[in-house]
Amino acid sequence: MLTKEKQVAASPEQTKTISGAEALILALLEEKVDTIFGYPGGAIMPVYDALFDYTDKLNHVLVRHEQGAIHAGQGYARSSGKVGVVFATSGPGATNLVTGLADAQIDSTPLVCITGQVFAHLLGTDAFQETDILNITTPVTKWNYQVTDANEIPEVMAKAFYIAKSGRPGPVLIDISKNAQLQKFDFAGYTPCKHIRSYRPKPIVRHEYIAQAAEVINQAKKPFVLWGQGVMLGSAEKEFRTFIEKSGIPAAWTILGAGALPSDHPQNVGMLGMHGNYGPNVLTNECDVLIAIGMRFDDRVTGRLDKYARQAKIIHLDIDPTEIGKNVPVAVPVWGDCKETLPLLTELVEAKEHTDWLQLFREYNDREIEAVIQEELFPTSEELTMGEVMQQLNEQTAGDAIVVSDVGQHQMVACRYARLNHTRSNITSGGLGTMGFALPAAIGAKFGTPDRTVVAVIGDGGFQMTLQELGTIMQSGVDVKLLILNNQFLGMVRQWQELFHDRRYSFVDIASPDYVKVASGYGISGKSISKREELKDALQEMLSHKGSFLLEVMVTKENNVFPMVPQGCSVSEIRLK
Amino acid sequence: MSNQNHTDKQEFNITVYTENHIGLLNRIAIIFSRRKINIESLNTSPSEVEGIHRFSILIKESEEVVRKIAGQIEKQVEVLKVYYNTNEEVIWQEMALYKVPTDVIAERAVVERLLRENGARAVVIRKDYTVFETTGHREETDNLIKVLEPYGLIEFVRSARIAIIKDSEGFHKKLQEFEQSEPGHEVVENEYLSSREKVFTM
């Protein structure tokens, strides 16, 4: 790799003349990229041509739709902690990335997307397959840039990776005109980017606020921790656990934070939000100090803001200063990477147990078990429930699998009931709620963490949005387990129609194809079951199968996900039924 | 957001220092438009620091909203610093041009007095029309419209507001402070970036 010293001393002999496309590939190798998800097309052909010479070093996964590529890139990034890389061509190829970019932006997922673009001299002429992808993607990218000259490629790629993965991560899109890909230039080497003058990825840690936060926590009688994905993005799971265990504070998670503390940790009191657990929601409005760590007070978590934790002093730890005070008033802001701020806070907080306070969560939990969980996980009804499928899956995976869930009722059930022993084990579309996310994301997750079992939990609606990616499984031979929970409805919408629209089931009754036959057409083994006595063996067969396997479980049609905070209500008004 | 706190809305002057980067105007404008906030006035120009541009944006909002907006703007990769100030905290000016028929104004107006009273000057005098220019606050430039209308005002245009922050010591010093408080690695530029034509071999 070219260092600054070497670059300064670079002589014409040390440079080599290569194309912009090859420079791009070399940049990916320098950034230690091992997998790319993509789909070729006219405007990105030079890049694919250059890739042809590097297929021994770079694994390219040919998807069936660019949306599949970017969700796969997200799954790869979320499971591995690395940057996901996506290739797409211009025009429709590029616009097909938009949903995934918006998803990655709101869920802080590091991606570098490379799109081909028409020749620079054709820009703005409505040329074939030309779209103004820069302006289209500006609101849904952390940064984007259009390259029209090959000389820019090394520096722009270095910036792209630096911006995507530093600070609060996010998606970056680099659009490269075809002439820049073809253009030969003298490549002087690649220097990773470590600094951009106008970009401050991490705020400076203010020690006075750490001290204030510790003081507030030490005086608290009923402190409560809410954690989000920031703990994992900062690779601060160990630091977080140390803080929790020393302070003795009960802690609840957002769906993107799930797994940062094991499910069975005694201080893990469950999930927050609209379909979260009863205790953490109710007690949010009873705690005296609320410590939010790497989470952004999404409206699905807070419910009605004017009735949210008004009694509590709120301490917010976040790397993104604009999140602090955005939705809820904060008493003590703790700017910074929680990998740095948590140990400083842990050092100052007193060791406590908060036994009575923790016991209160357990009492609420007992109420929830009795009212909801028992019947969901061990139903007395004839039909299978989504919850009991997750319960059985937990038993068979022992909580060691990566669970990738789609969007809808099954997502809430999967997030509520999946046992997660390891970090980066819960991959779902949290902020954008993108149906069709799970199948391609699971493919990406398996490429990101080949040694782990990856189970995609998908509803019958979401599966039909991206089922063409079965072709990607077929061609790449990737091993993902596809668990379709089929309730023959667009379940979450149906639940809302039942509760808030007088059971007027407007266009939620969705028919499915024979999924086993569809999978079979792609050379993927599968099975469909609808009886309880078949469940255990079917899951076992799916998990032990060598290669991908599709298991469809027919579940009860009109089951609702409870507890639930109805929209417009406070979190303490959460309904058990 | 824009619907909240209607009562405490006031004019805020937002000053943004940025890298000179294509597309940044769009990125900044989106921050306002997605929150349904109308930009009253926007000016962009090079600043006193070479390579750094300065946006002057005027909006009418509550301070709470402006504070959050400023944070969101400052979060953009190419934005170095954002300040927001009330009208009392800045010195601001707008420029206006007025085109009127020369014959009418020459025959009917006491031009000299009119210009003196309104702090204006003639920029162009032609047979067919004359262009006057004035600078000042909105009410001052509006006033000259009223004065000139009876003389057959043909065209009027007003610039965006530009504002200098009263207490600011200048951004150049601030930039130096940034570099001292959080020094980054020296940026290594590709030496060929500045010699495109020479190495273009396609």
Side-chain angles (χ1 to χ4, degrees):
Chain A
M1 192 184 301
L2 200 65
T3 63
K4 186 189 168 206
E5 289 69 29
K6 282 180 187 167
Q7 192 172 32
V8 168
S11 66
E13 295 81 49
Q14 286 172 300
T15 65
K16 54 180 178 176
T17 304
I18 60 171
S19 69
E22 192 176 1
L24 169 77
I25 302 294
L26 293 178
L28 297 180
L29 290 172
E30 291 285 359
E31 291 290 345
K32 312 251 184 307
V33 173
D34 53 34
T35 306
I36 301 157
F37 303 94
Y39 203 96
I44 200 170
M45 272 169 58
V47 168
Y48 272 87
D49 185 60
L51 180 64
F52 198 65
D53 293 328
Y54 291 90
T55 46
D56 56 331
K57 292 176 183 149
L58 280 166
N59 178 28
H60 178 275
V61 181
L62 178 64
V63 295
R64 295 300 183 265
H65 189 287
E66 289 85 355
Q67 188 181 355
I70 192 161
H71 291 329
Q74 291 175 269
Y76 174 92
R78 296 268 289 274
S79 70
S80 68
K82 295 190 272 188
V83 178
V85 178
V86 177
F87 284 176
T89 193
S90 65
T95 56
N96 282 341
L97 298 179
V98 172
T99 301
L101 288 169
D103 198 296
Q105 172 87 334
I106 199 163
D107 282 353
S108 310
T109 307
L111 293 179
V112 171
C113 298
I114 309 295
T115 50
Q117 182 54 279
V118 300
F119 282 87
H121 70 273
L122 294 174
L123 284 169
T125 65
D126 296 330
F128 177 68
Q129 290 195 330
E130 186 205 357
T131 56
D132 183 0
I133 198 62
L134 240 59
N135 275 320
I136 290 173
T137 59
T138 293
V140 290
T141 50
K142 186 174 174 187
W143 188 66
N144 62 9
Y145 190 83
Q146 187 173 60
V147 176
T148 51
D149 185 319
N151 289 284
E152 291 181 299
I153 288 176
E155 191 194 352
V156 167
M157 288 301 293
K159 279 178 80 173
F161 274 88
Y162 175 57
I163 292 167
K165 66 189 174 190
S166 59
R168 180 176 177 175
V172 168
L173 183 134
I174 305 299
D175 191 45
I176 310 178
S177 65
K178 196 164 176 178
N179 60 293
Q181 297 171 46
L182 291 166
Q183 179 190 340
K184 301 275 189 189
F185 74 112
D186 292 333
F187 179 67
Y190 185 81
T191 307
C193 179
K194 290 176 182 167
H195 172 76
I196 298 170
R197 179 173 62 175
S198 57
Y199 175 56
R200 294 275 176 277
K202 289 184 201 175
I204 297 163
V205 175
R206 302 269 294 269
H207 288 252
E208 65 269 32
Y209 285 131
I210 305 259
Q212 273 182 36
E215 197 182 330
V216 171
I217 292 168
N218 289 339
Q219 286 171 3
K221 300 281 180 247
K222 295 193 283 186
F224 184 25
V225 164
L226 319 179
W227 91 82
Q229 193 191 197
V231 174
M232 284 181 278
L233 294 175
S235 301
E237 294 89 342
K238 197 176 142 205
E239 291 78 2
F240 175 63
R241 187 171 179 150
T242 308
F243 168 74
I244 291 293
E245 291 178 351
K246 184 182 179 190
S247 66
I249 304 173
W253 39 275
T254 69
I255 61 170
L256 290 191
L261 192 68
S263 303
D264 56 2
H265 190 282
Q267 284 167 256
N268 181 342
V269 295
M271 174 172 150
L272 295 161
M274 183 174 268
H275 291 289
N277 292 108
Y278 192 49
N281 273 311
V282 172
L283 295 175
T284 295
N285 279 351
E286 289 190 24
C287 65
D288 56 359
V289 173
L290 201 59
I291 307 139
I293 304 173
M295 56 87 74
R296 58 187 180 84
F297 291 105
D298 178 86
D299 58 283
R300 283 291 191 269
V301 163
T302 62
R304 195 169 153 171
L305 266 177
D306 62 349
K307 290 187 174 178
Y308 183 77
R310 307 296 284 182
Q311 78 297 341
K313 280 186 186 167
I314 297 178
I315 299 167
H316 194 169
L317 287 73
D318 209 291
I319 197 165
D320 181 351
T322 62
E323 288 299 340
I324 297 178
K326 186 178 86 174
N327 295 331
V328 297
V330 169
V332 187
V334 182
W335 294 297
D337 184 343
C338 57
K339 180 97 179 163
E340 293 171 42
T341 53
L342 275 172
L344 296 169
L345 191 57
T346 305
E347 203 179 313
L348 299 180
V349 297
E350 293 163 7
K352 286 187 182 170
E353 290 193 342
H354 294 291
T355 315
D356 294 345
W357 173 228
L358 203 52
Q359 180 57 29
L360 207 50
F361 284 89
R362 297 201 177 109
E363 285 167 19
Y364 276 101
N365 194 42
D366 289 344
R367 264 192 253 176
E368 186 180 337
I369 288 172
E370 192 185 335
V372 178
I373 298 174
Q374 181 65 27
E375 183 59 24
E376 183 64 41
L377 301 191
F378 308 100
T380 51
S381 63
E382 198 177 308
E383 291 179 309
L384 284 160
T385 64
M386 293 186 189
E388 73 178 308
V389 179
M390 290 310 300
Q391 165 68 14
Q392 190 55 237
L393 183 70
N394 287 339
E395 286 189 16
Q396 296 201 22
T397 62
D400 291 335
I402 291 179
V403 177
V404 185
S405 54
D406 211 79
V407 171
Q409 283 185 315
H410 71 279
Q411 176 191 31
M412 294 299 112
V413 172
C415 290
R416 280 175 59 81
Y417 297 114
R419 200 172 118 203
L420 306 171
N421 290 342
H422 309 284
T423 188
R424 296 188 176 275
S425 295
N426 181 57
I427 296 172
T428 194
S429 169
L432 200 66
T434 305
M435 285 178 72
F437 172 84
L439 171 52
I443 294 169
K446 186 65 182 178
F447 277 106
T449 48
D451 298 335
R452 296 191 65 189
T453 299
V454 175
V455 181
V457 181
I458 319 180
D460 43 323
F463 193 75
Q464 291 185 66
M465 283 201 176
T466 49
L467 65 73
Q468 77 280 354
E469 298 308 332
L470 291 174
T472 307
I473 294 176
M474 174 185 70
Q475 190 164 357
S476 66
V478 68
D479 176 5
V480 290
K481 312 303 181 192
L482 307 171
L483 180 56
I484 300 176
L485 302 180
N486 187 347
N487 60 2
Q488 303 168 65
F489 266 125
L490 298 177
M492 189 58 94
V493 183
R494 188 213 56 74
Q495 177 170 339
W496 280 50
Q497 287 174 342
E498 179 189 327
L499 298 174
F500 311 117
H501 294 274
D502 207 19
R503 284 182 179 265
R504 286 154 55 88
Y505 291 165
S506 185
F507 299 99
V508 287
D509 188 355
I510 186 168
S512 288
D514 183 331
Y515 291 118
V516 179
K517 276 190 187 164
V518 171
S520 171
Y522 286 100
I524 299 166
S525 301
K527 188 171 218 171
S528 181
I529 62 162
S530 57
K531 293 184 181 139
R532 184 157 295 126
E533 54 271 26
E534 299 170 308
L535 179 61
K536 188 175 174 186
D537 288 348
L539 283 171
Q540 204 162 34
E541 185 181 351
M542 176 186 83
L543 292 168
S544 60
H545 184 83
K546 283 200 169 132
S548 289
F549 191 95
L550 183 147
L551 175 62
E552 179 190 30
V553 182
M554 303 303 294
V555 295
T556 182
K557 281 189 76 173
E558 294 188 57
N559 204 19
N560 288 338
V561 186
F562 280 112
M564 179 179 187
V565 180
Q567 203 152 35
C569 290
S570 108
V571 287
S572 50
E573 294 172 288
I574 186 167
R575 291 169 54 171
L576 275 170
K577 57 185 176 181
Chain B
M1 195 182 276
S2 63
N3 292 330
Q4 297 169 353
N5 305 321
H6 278 292
T7 50
D8 55 1
K9 279 185 181 179
Q10 61 171 314
E11 284 190 337
F12 276 95
N13 299 269
I14 302 175
T15 306
V16 187
Y17 287 95
T18 75
E19 301 288 355
N20 183 12
H21 181 77
I22 293 169
L24 192 54
L25 175 61
N26 189 25
R27 226 167 234 286
I28 291 173
I30 284 168
I31 292 170
F32 294 93
S33 60
R34 76 176 292 203
R35 291 164 178 80
K36 294 223 173 291
I37 295 171
N38 188 40
I39 294 176
E40 305 285 332
S41 159
L42 186 151
N43 179 77
T44 173
S45 65
S47 73
E48 73 274 21
V49 184
E50 195 183 339
I52 292 179
H53 272 228
R54 175 174 177 149
F55 286 64
S56 295
I57 304 168
L58 178 70
I59 62 168
K60 212 172 201 178
E61 264 302 338
S62 67
E63 185 171 1
E64 175 70 2
V65 170
V66 173
R67 182 179 62 77
K68 289 177 183 176
I69 290 280
Q72 293 294 340
I73 297 172
E74 198 166 276
K75 197 170 133 174
Q76 303 307 310
V77 169
E78 282 95 359
V79 172
L80 290 110
K81 189 68 192 166
V82 179
Y83 300 97
Y84 63 89
N85 298 93
T86 60
N87 286 345
E88 289 69 42
E89 293 167 340
V90 297
I91 297 184
W92 57 273
Q93 293 280 280
E94 291 168 346
M95 191 179 95
L97 296 176
Y98 312 75
K99 187 158 86 178
V100 288
T102 301
D103 51 354
V104 179
I105 200 103
E107 285 168 18
R108 292 174 49 199
V110 185
V111 176
E112 200 182 310
R113 186 175 164 192
L114 182 151
L115 298 185
R116 197 171 55 244
E117 284 178 356
N118 291 279
R121 67 187 181 96
V123 180
V124 168
I125 304 170
R126 291 175 30 149
K127 275 186 180 173
D128 48 352
Y129 64 77
T130 297
V131 175
F132 295 112
E133 171 263 345
T134 188
T135 53
H137 286 194
R138 178 67 56 92
E139 56 272 24
E140 291 159 353
T141 51
D142 274 352
N143 197 44
L144 193 54
I145 298 177
K146 285 179 203 154
V147 172
L148 291 175
E149 257 172 355
Y151 304 111
L153 180 65
I154 302 168
E155 199 178 336
F156 163 75
V157 64
R158 180 160 41 216
S159 74
R161 174 184 291 192
I162 52 169
I164 292 269
I165 304 165
K166 287 179 183 170
D167 288 343
S168 170
E169 293 180 48
F171 186 66
H172 190 72
K173 190 179 173 191
K174 200 79 195 167
L175 183 62
Q176 287 174 326
E177 281 172 16
F178 281 166
E179 291 294 341
Q180 280 165 7
S181 63
E182 199 182 330
H185 299 272
E186 194 181 338
V187 184
V188 181
E189 299 289 351
N190 184 324
E191 62 184 298
Y192 293 95
L193 284 179
S194 57
S195 53
R196 291 176 189 172
E197 301 306 320
K198 206 165 57 188
V199 296
F200 192 91
T201 56
M202 200 179 95

